[in-house]
Amino acid sequence: MELLCIQSQEHPELPLAELKAVMECENIDAQLESVCEGIAILKNISQDKFDEYYRILIKRLGYTHEVHELILETSVDTLDNDVSQIDWSCYIDKTFAVRVKRIHSQIDTVGYERKLGTLILENCDDIRVNLSKPNTLVRVAAFENNLYVGIERLKLNKKHFEESKPHKRPFFYPGSMNPKLARCMVNLSRIKEGELLLDPFCGTGGILIEAGLIGCKVVGSDIYWKMKNGTAINLEHYGITDYRTFHLDVRELKMYEKVSSVVTDPPYGISTSTGDVDGDEIFKEFFKAIYDNMKDDAYLCMASPHYVDLKPMVKEVGFEIVEQYGIKMHRSLTRIISVIRKKLN
């Protein structure tokens, strides 16, 4: 069995990197094929694991917009014949609608929605089209002249990332990370449901919200009292109760339990993260402080500005950089998302 993932094209690498990280930490046994930027397929999934994997992906992923059961790979030239080979009664519950999404394709969207709808009707009895409230959505992802036809079994909650933007939370402070990137960073840290995640610069709690929503235990700390309190307010607002927040300097951090991952967005170039330290020293102090608070082989995912070279800092402490991705913010700043692993002693 196969799953079709329609991904965001907001960044050329992060959606696929996030998917790979979730597959790794959740032990998803499947072959990953990247068709193009925006389309990925999980192949060779055993039937007994299919529903489990499907539910994991829709619960966790931030930069994947849709996940569907893939039932047909075809092309504009072979569509008619290939559609006739499928028993659509196994997939369609009384009513259906066809929706086409083009990704680097010039096909006529409306025309192919009508064409595929007609072909399905011709090859299946006792069903009808319902464009407003179909029982079954037939989703087609079109890349060039190739068509990937899927059935939506479970819905991703795409509204969450819009409704949980920083300015819509009970406690707001400028400069907070957007929830989709926060979710992606949580996933890049390879954290699992029930494990403990730390954000030692928690700010308004955006990263902790996303970790809590996928079932992690979360701990946040901040040097500013109002941020510590604001984080708690925001976590409670989203129904997250398995958390602790602390008002302290990261250099004083002594965790009661070593954490499975650290995900954070330290303030850059200003003396706010540790009160009396700025510049590169913020990051050096940070790495030293968290090392002993992390489990062996745990992951850290963090954001930093492009002008800070993290490599010598992490090497000195005992970390190693696994992956890095750049996000252009404006002309003079690129935000680097680094995935860093604590090396085994």
Side-chain angles (χ1 to χ4, degrees), residues 234-250:
N234 285 340
L235 289 170
E236 294 283 351
H237 176 74
Y238 288 96
I240 297 163
T241 57
D242 199 348
Y243 74 88
R244 296 182 71 179
T245 55
F246 299 96
H247 169 223
L248 51 76
D249 187 313
V250 67

Side-chain angles (χ1 to χ4, degrees), residues 1-6 19 23 28-33 35 39-51 53-55 57 66-74 86 91 139 147-154:
M1 302 183 74
E2 299 179 340
L3 285 168
L4 169 67
C5 298
I6 299 178
L19 176 57
M23 290 178 66
I28 292 178
D29 184 13
Q31 176 189 347
L32 176 60
E33 177 186 338
V35 175
I39 301 176
I41 301 172
L42 274 63
K43 297 188 170 184
N44 301 323
I45 301 172
S46 64
Q47 187 170 354
D48 63 321
K49 289 289 187 179
F50 183 80
D51 288 345
Y53 292 171
Y54 199 159
R55 292 183 186 281
L57 295 179
E66 301 176 35
V67 182
H68 305 293
E69 179 184 354
L70 181 64
I71 60 173
L72 176 64
E73 292 185 40
T74 184
I86 294 176
Y91 300 102
R139 168 58 94 182
L147 305 174
Y148 301 87
V149 184
I151 298 292
E152 183 180 64
R153 299 294 192 191
L154 300 167

Side-chain angles (χ1 to χ4, degrees), residues 287 291 294 297-301 310-324 338-344:
F287 290 127
Y291 184 86
M294 296 173 64
D297 213 25
Y299 283 85
L300 156 68
C301 185
L310 300 181
K311 291 180 181 178
M313 302 182 203
V314 302
K315 184 177 181 181
E316 179 183 346
V317 176
F319 291 106
E320 60 181 346
I321 295 176
V322 179
E323 310 165 47
Q324 287 187 310
S338 300
V339 181
I340 300 167
R341 181 168 53 208
K342 180 179 178 180
K343 293 190 291 187
L344 290 169

Side-chain angles (χ1 to χ4, degrees), residues 2 60 102-103 147 155 180 192 206 228-229 261 271 303:
E2 299 179 340
R60 293 197 57 147
R102 297 184 305 178
I103 301 175
L147 305 174
K155 284 183 178 290
K180 195 179 291 186
K192 294 181 182 179
K228 178 260 188 193
N229 284 355
S261 74
S271 56

